[in-house]
Amino acid sequence: MVSFEKRLVLGPEVSRDDVEDLAWDLDWNIHELGEEEAGARIDIWRTDDGKTEIHRVEDRPIGLTYLTLRGAAVTMTEQQVRSVLRVWAQSDALVALHDADGRDERLRGLYALALTADDLRDGAVVNEFRAAASDPDPGIRQAVVVAAGYRPDPALVELVAELRESDPVSFVRENADILLKGIRLHGGE
């Protein structure tokens, strides 16, 4: 179950200080600072009226930083964030993926694509994930499994099911199986 209404992937140039400056300017109240959870560092603010919560997640396992928004004023908060901070769109993730020089950059591009895509059944998006699911590097194939964990959309879940059945590397098959069992148990998006 998704516990937020909107996720905004921040551009790599957006620093923690940039987010803190925005929070200060918008009178967000700090609720928690620097909480560590599952390899991620999380800062939490609430709007001055207390009705909207903003989480800054420095997600080290996938190499991305993003904001999650929940509450009464998500749309307004999103507009405020977008007016000040660089937020990735699906097109940015596709460019990053195509321009990736190495494995780490390609992995970040795949994760960013999963988190920014408006529709994971979009032809360009599906093509990227299909290519990743058949990549000779098992780490890239594993990234499809990880991406589906963040975004259990049917298009990604289908690819994970294929990896579970036919990937030549046992850890990819095993992790795909674990994810699919978790999705069945807890539900998807």
Side-chain angles (χ1 to χ4, degrees):
M1 182 88 185
V2 176
S3 66
F4 57 87
E5 296 171 44
K6 187 71 179 180
R7 178 171 23 215
L8 304 172
V9 178
L10 300 176
E13 71 280 0
V14 177
S15 71
R16 184 175 192 214
D17 287 344
D18 294 332
V19 176
E20 288 177 351
D21 289 347
L22 177 64
W24 178 266
D25 292 343
L26 296 176
D27 293 324
W28 294 347
N29 299 307
I30 191 71
H31 180 67
E32 292 182 26
L33 192 60
E35 289 294 312
E36 294 282 335
E37 184 178 312
R41 180 180 178 165
I42 304 170
D43 300 328
I44 302 172
W45 291 270
R46 290 192 179 127
T47 54
D48 200 35
D49 63 7
K51 294 182 180 177
T52 305
E53 195 168 272
I54 303 96
H55 292 212
R56 179 192 169 274
V57 181
E58 186 179 321
D59 197 332
R60 292 182 211 122
I62 65 170
L64 294 173
T65 300
Y66 48 87
L67 301 179
T68 60
L69 313 175
R70 64 186 56 83
V74 166
T75 301
M76 183 180 73
T77 304
E78 177 184 1
Q79 291 169 348
Q80 291 170 324
V81 169
R82 287 182 182 276
S83 72
V84 176
L85 303 177
R86 183 162 170 329
V87 176
W88 279 29
Q90 174 180 314
S91 58
D92 297 314
L94 284 167
V95 167
L97 189 54
H98 292 154
D99 291 349
D101 284 331
R103 181 178 193 244
D104 289 346
E105 286 182 21
R106 185 148 184 239
L107 290 170
R108 271 190 299 280
L110 284 168
Y111 299 139
L113 184 58
L115 299 182
T116 60
D118 295 322
D119 181 2
L120 289 175
R121 290 169 290 259
D122 173 272
V125 174
V126 169
N127 289 341
E128 292 299 337
F129 280 104
R130 281 211 176 282
S134 62
D135 194 276
D137 181 342
I140 299 293
R141 298 192 307 272
Q142 172 72 13
V144 175
V145 176
V146 173
Y150 281 83
R151 183 96 183 261
D153 183 272
L156 283 181
V157 171
E158 179 182 327
L159 289 173
V160 172
E162 292 171 16
L163 289 169
R164 177 187 63 191
E165 299 306 318
S166 63
D167 197 89
V169 177
S170 63
F171 78 82
V172 175
R173 289 191 312 272
E174 291 165 5
N175 288 328
D177 186 56
I178 290 167
L179 178 67
L180 292 171
K181 286 177 180 172
I183 290 171
R184 273 196 309 274
L185 183 64
H186 299 289
E189 281 191 324

